[in-house]
């Protein structure tokens, strides 16, 4: 797990938006989405359930958001 990936995840959750998080992090929306997928794959858990234009955190996502905010 890279800290940057965790930072992206926290930013998406805090903004409730992949697009807004990408703007704040100065990367593309697809880059943010890809890096969160890589984070999920490296952890072996799904952190969020993506829906059409929204998402919600899984139980693992709630744990990792707290961990990410502590950094």
């Amino acid at each position: 797990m890279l800290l940057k990936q965790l930072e992206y995840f926290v930013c998406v959750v805090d903004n409730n938006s992949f697009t807004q998080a990408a703007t704040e992090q100065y990367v593309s929306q697809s880059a943010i989405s890809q890096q969160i997928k890589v984070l999920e794959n490296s952890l072996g858990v799904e952190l969020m359930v993506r829906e059409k234009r929204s998402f919600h955190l899984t139980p693992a996502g709630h744990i990792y958001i707290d961990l990410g905010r502590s950094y």
Side-chain angles (χ1 to χ4, degrees):
M1 166 179 57
L2 296 175
L3 289 178
K4 193 60 150 174
Q5 293 167 337
L6 192 56
E7 182 181 333
Y8 288 165
F9 173 62
V10 170
C11 193
V12 167
V13 173
D14 286 348
N15 285 287
N16 199 35
S17 168
F18 281 84
T19 303
Q20 184 61 37
T23 299
E24 283 188 18
Q25 295 293 319
Y26 302 104
V27 297
S28 69
Q29 182 274 329
S30 62
I32 287 263
S33 185
Q34 270 185 324
Q35 288 302 303
I36 292 175
K37 260 303 187 202
V38 169
L39 175 62
E40 290 175 320
N41 289 338
S42 70
L43 294 172
V45 295
E46 189 175 50
L47 298 174
M48 53 179 60
V49 176
R50 294 152 181 86
E51 296 171 352
K52 290 181 184 180
R53 295 194 143 258
S54 65
F55 65 88
H56 65 273
L57 295 178
T58 63
H62 285 286
I63 292 168
Y64 278 97
I65 194 64
D66 292 338
L67 174 66
R69 286 181 177 144
S70 68
Y71 276 99

